[in-house]
Amino acid sequence: AFERLGEQLYRLGAREVRILSLPPVAQGQKTGLDEFILARGPEQVLGDLRAMKYRKEPYLPIRDGGLAYAERLIKSVDLEDKGKAAIACLGAKGEAFTLDWLKNQSGLKSDLRKILLSDAKKKLKELQAQAKPKASSSQAGEDLQLGPAYDIPKALLRATEEYSLDTQGRLCKDKKEFNETTGELEFSQTPLCNFICWPIREILKDSGNGTPERYLELQGLLQDGSSLPPKKISLNDFLEKPNSWPGLTWGVKPALKPYMEKEARYAIHEMARGISETTIFTHIGWRKINGSWIYLHAGGAIGPGSEAVEVEINERLKQYSLPKETGDIKEALKASLSLLEIGPKKIMYPLLASVYLAPLCEPLRQAGIEPSLLSYIWGPSGTKKSTLIALLLCHFGSFDPKGLPASFRDTANSIEKLAFLAKDTILPVDDLYPAREPKEQAKQEGVLEHLSRGQGDRTARGRMKADTSLREGLPPRGLALCSGEVMHLSGSSLARAFIHKLQKGSIDLKKLTQAQSQQDLLSHAMRGYLEYLAPQMEDLPGQEKEAFMHLREEAFKKATIKTRHSRLNEALSPLHLGLNSFLSFVVSQGALTQEEGKKLLQEAWEIFNQLADEQALQEQAGEPSKKIAEASLELEAQGRIYWADMEDTPGFLANSVKVGWKDEGKGIFYTNLGTLFKEVNQHLRGQGEYLSLSKADFISYLNQRELLVEKDKATNQSRDQKTIWIKDNSEDKKTRKTYAIHEKFFKVEGEDGEQTF
């Protein structure tokens, strides 16, 4: 119990814990502090207590208090203290975590890390052996002399009144019966399992979706005294899988007796009365905790009171870990600014702006102007796309081009979940490659389209539980940065993204190498930026909304392509907000003068608008309805399709497909859309393209532009088709259901600006 108390005190931030036992003042009795003071006298007692304190070494935590203790002691210059820190961390979190933890400690070389870890493993084994209960010789190795390790479960079971431990350390159901023959109350125990476990705390895992998941943290001992380390199990699994929860928690060694699972579970429920409830956050980004804004990351949190905040991030997002200090902030900010020089400005300016826009997603969400932005870098293999993305992501942790968190080989659902958890940061989705299999290609394109729509609309797919009630959605809460060798975004999806094409030679390899050599500084720059934003979080929504409205209006005025989609204006305005916020911080730290910052921001604004204009032209060129018109005319010119005259005169090329009839006098193409769509789709697939427009959407497009010039008279519902009379070979006229499309639709603007058919 004393050791358990010591662990908890260290976990709560105690600097040093010594466990002292007062010598007895009367034989065979425990001594309380008040009795000891009275026995020794007020003049002598303080000196005695001090002497006892300094004779006793501080308690070294090797369980749940170990990490907090280790975080403090590792900073000591004393090598012995560093060794104790390694032991504590190893006991609390295990070898894999400790190895990563030591790697993240500045100033620890590889050789020293290996020595610390090796020595810690030996020492921890000794400490654990000392704590393990010894078997009593009188029990012939079968029963255990239950030692101090069992003190906690003993105390918890005493409060239940109907459960206890037997001499082998097993959880038992107690039974008391009155023996009428002897006239005595007899006591018996029925083992429920081959182990004892007890609850440490109830945990709420909070991902920010409004419904935290409940977990129970359990710790235990097998009947041979082997430790069952602290583990978390979902409360649903604990309650709904009564036969298998021990295996889900610790593997095959702990086992429940047949038909005793409900009894064992109830005993643990009884022991859980009064345990603490802890919130563990499972996402990245801003949260308001105890009245203060805290930024969560895989390595902890940033902001007032962040030391007490517990964070547990999905394994695929563990790289998002920021340093504990900013270091030389001016040097770090200069390293971040230098990224603008490694590639073309129209690529690097928006990408760096996105990096510093990401932490503003929360205040912009509160203001109702959350960024609807996806960035897509594309180009042939070898253009350093993944390398560039990894370098930019080093603002948020330690990233490698070969180990980015997500790729287009993942499912749309898994990426949706990661985009939800990667709040107020950037999620990379890497490597959309030209797959050979049509199925694989369609899957990747579907992931890109789903991601683009989700980021652009900031919405999630609706979900339903088994009981038909609605489940909370998982909308994206940060920004997405994608890469690929091909570009499949078209139509309105282009308005939801900023497209950056990388050619070979676009990236300055010398400057890229130089930037990589100081990539560790980038996360220091981001930490400083987040510390700068934290005290402003309450005021930012109002300030940023006012600035956004002004910028959106200015973007509309600056557009040279008047058909530029309004979404593009709304996307480039937050980029300006992100870069402006970053540059304000840079100027405040003296890394740039105010004039230099202002000039850089003005240059970026011009670049953002130029990029939006270029993309508007690209959107027009790739507009699906235009593809239909161009493909139709190309197929007609090749003799693969034709519109017959109104007399249905034969004489066209063999194998040419009739898609309708043309009335030259009226300027109307009476079209069979089903046949036309089939031929156009086949033609586009042969060119490695696809038509991202359904027949129904195309009819809607024609209606909106008043290109369906003739329709049958509506009766009880509107009709889009036109019935025409066509003479067939038997000289009789027959009706045909068609769509009467105005010839304007099939006009294509050539390079000289003339309209041609």
Side-chain angles (χ1 to χ4, degrees), residues 98-108 113 321 324 398:
T98 304
L99 185 59
D100 286 340
W101 180 74
L102 288 170
K103 285 179 181 178
N104 289 330
Q105 305 304 322
S106 57
L108 283 185
R113 290 199 302 267
S321 181
K324 292 179 173 54
S398 179

Side-chain angles (χ1 to χ4, degrees), residues 667-683:
I668 297 175
F669 288 66
Y670 293 102
T671 306
N672 183 334
L673 281 185
T675 307
L676 180 64
F677 258 63
K678 178 183 175 183
E679 296 301 318
V680 166
N681 269 311
Q682 197 171 14
H683 174 66

Side-chain angles (χ1 to χ4, degrees), residues 421-611:
L421 295 175
K423 181 177 181 286
D424 307 322
T425 188
I426 290 181
L427 177 70
V429 186
D430 193 31
D431 195 22
L432 199 163
Y433 60 92
R436 292 183 180 179
E437 292 292 327
K439 245 185 194 179
E440 177 67 14
Q441 184 72 21
K443 174 184 169 290
Q444 291 189 64
E445 290 168 6
V447 169
L448 177 60
E449 184 69 18
H450 179 71
L451 185 61
S452 166
R453 296 277 169 180
Q455 289 284 332
D457 299 332
R458 308 306 277 186
T459 56
R461 287 191 297 182
R463 286 176 168 79
M464 193 166 65
K465 297 179 184 177
D467 62 0
T468 72
S469 62
L470 293 178
R471 182 179 296 174
E472 294 288 343
L474 301 174
R477 298 186 294 175
L479 302 180
L481 177 54
C482 306
S483 71
E485 294 179 33
V486 288
M487 215 291 284
H488 289 295
L489 290 173
S490 61
S492 62
S493 293
L494 278 173
R496 293 173 169 86
F498 264 109
I499 313 300
H500 309 289
K501 186 171 184 181
L502 268 183
Q503 305 281 7
K504 287 193 175 180
S506 294
I507 299 297
D508 188 321
L509 297 182
K510 186 177 179 181
K511 289 182 178 177
L512 175 64
T513 303
Q514 185 179 352
Q516 287 175 315
S517 69
Q518 52 184 9
Q519 67 184 33
D520 290 347
L521 293 173
L522 302 178
S523 57
H524 290 267
M526 181 55 69
R527 182 180 180 104
Y529 178 62
L530 294 169
E531 290 176 351
Y532 166 77
L533 289 178
Q536 305 178 56
M537 286 292 289
E538 291 295 332
D539 300 324
L540 280 173
Q543 294 171 2
E544 299 292 8
K545 184 164 188 177
E546 186 178 345
F548 172 83
M549 303 299 281
H550 172 72
L551 287 167
R552 185 174 62 178
E553 186 63 30
E554 288 299 308
F556 178 78
K557 291 176 183 176
K558 285 186 73 67
T560 57
I561 307 299
K562 294 307 175 186
T563 55
R564 184 204 284 183
H565 203 295
S566 61
R567 281 183 178 271
L568 283 172
N569 294 333
E570 291 185 358
L572 63 89
S573 300
L575 282 179
H576 183 281
L577 294 178
L579 191 60
N580 180 49
S581 180
F582 169 57
L583 291 175
S584 297
F585 174 57
V586 173
V587 170
S588 73
Q589 299 301 309
L592 282 179
T593 67
Q594 194 159 3
E595 283 303 313
E596 288 171 332
K598 189 175 179 181
K599 182 179 177 183
L600 196 152
L601 188 63
Q602 182 59 41
E603 183 180 21
W605 182 239
E606 296 296 329
I607 289 169
F608 296 161
N609 278 280
Q610 179 190 348
L611 188 62

Side-chain angles (χ1 to χ4, degrees), residues 635-664 669 726 729:
L635 287 167
E636 187 178 26
Q638 294 171 1
R640 291 164 58 184
I641 65 170
Y642 72 95
W643 279 266
D645 59 28
M646 299 305 289
E647 299 299 318
D648 209 15
T649 307
F652 291 92
L653 294 174
N655 300 322
S656 184
V657 177
K658 181 167 64 178
V659 294
W661 295 265
K662 188 188 301 184
D663 190 327
E664 297 282 3
F669 288 66
I726 298 294
N729 295 333

Side-chain angles (χ1 to χ4, degrees), residues 278-508:
T278 304
T279 298
I280 295 179
F281 297 95
T282 60
H283 67 88
I284 296 166
W286 294 107
R287 282 299 292 268
K288 197 171 188 179
I289 304 170
N290 297 327
S292 298
W293 282 100
I294 307 288
Y295 189 89
L296 310 170
H297 60 97
I302 297 170
S306 57
E307 302 81 7
V309 176
E310 208 169 333
V311 183
E312 188 179 285
I313 300 298
N314 183 288
E315 197 63 37
R316 292 176 68 180
L317 301 176
K318 282 288 181 71
Q319 294 157 288
Y320 290 85
S321 181
L322 292 164
K324 292 179 173 54
E325 297 174 350
T326 56
D328 187 338
I329 188 63
K330 193 180 287 189
E331 184 184 358
L333 292 172
K334 287 180 178 178
S336 185
L337 285 167
S338 71
L339 299 188
L340 293 173
E341 301 171 7
I342 67 176
K345 288 183 177 180
K346 71 176 183 178
I347 293 177
M348 297 313 302
Y349 270 77
L351 290 180
L352 188 66
S354 297
V355 167
Y356 288 100
L357 168 63
L360 293 176
C361 284
E362 175 61 37
L364 295 180
R365 183 182 301 112
Q366 292 179 38
I369 50 171
E370 189 176 8
S372 55
L373 177 65
L374 175 142
S375 298
Y376 185 74
I377 304 172
W378 73 288
S381 178
T383 51
K384 303 296 180 185
K385 300 182 295 295
S386 299
T387 304
L388 178 60
I389 289 174
L391 182 59
L392 288 162
L393 281 172
C394 283
H395 283 91
F396 297 97
S398 179
F399 291 84
D400 183 87
K402 295 181 180 177
L404 293 173
S407 78
F408 283 99
R409 290 182 292 278
D410 299 333
T411 64
N413 282 345
S414 71
I415 292 175
E416 182 182 55
K417 179 69 178 288
L418 290 177
F420 175 75
L421 295 175
K423 181 177 181 286
D424 307 322
T425 188
I426 290 181
L427 177 70
V429 186
D430 193 31
D431 195 22
L432 199 163
Y433 60 92
R436 292 183 180 179
E437 292 292 327
K439 245 185 194 179
E440 177 67 14
Q441 184 72 21
K443 174 184 169 290
Q444 291 189 64
E445 290 168 6
V447 169
L448 177 60
E449 184 69 18
H450 179 71
L451 185 61
S452 166
R453 296 277 169 180
Q455 289 284 332
D457 299 332
R458 308 306 277 186
T459 56
R461 287 191 297 182
R463 286 176 168 79
M464 193 166 65
K465 297 179 184 177
D467 62 0
T468 72
S469 62
L470 293 178
R471 182 179 296 174
E472 294 288 343
L474 301 174
R477 298 186 294 175
L479 302 180
L481 177 54
C482 306
S483 71
E485 294 179 33
V486 288
M487 215 291 284
H488 289 295
L489 290 173
S490 61
S492 62
S493 293
L494 278 173
R496 293 173 169 86
F498 264 109
I499 313 300
H500 309 289
K501 186 171 184 181
L502 268 183
Q503 305 281 7
K504 287 193 175 180
S506 294
I507 299 297
D508 188 321

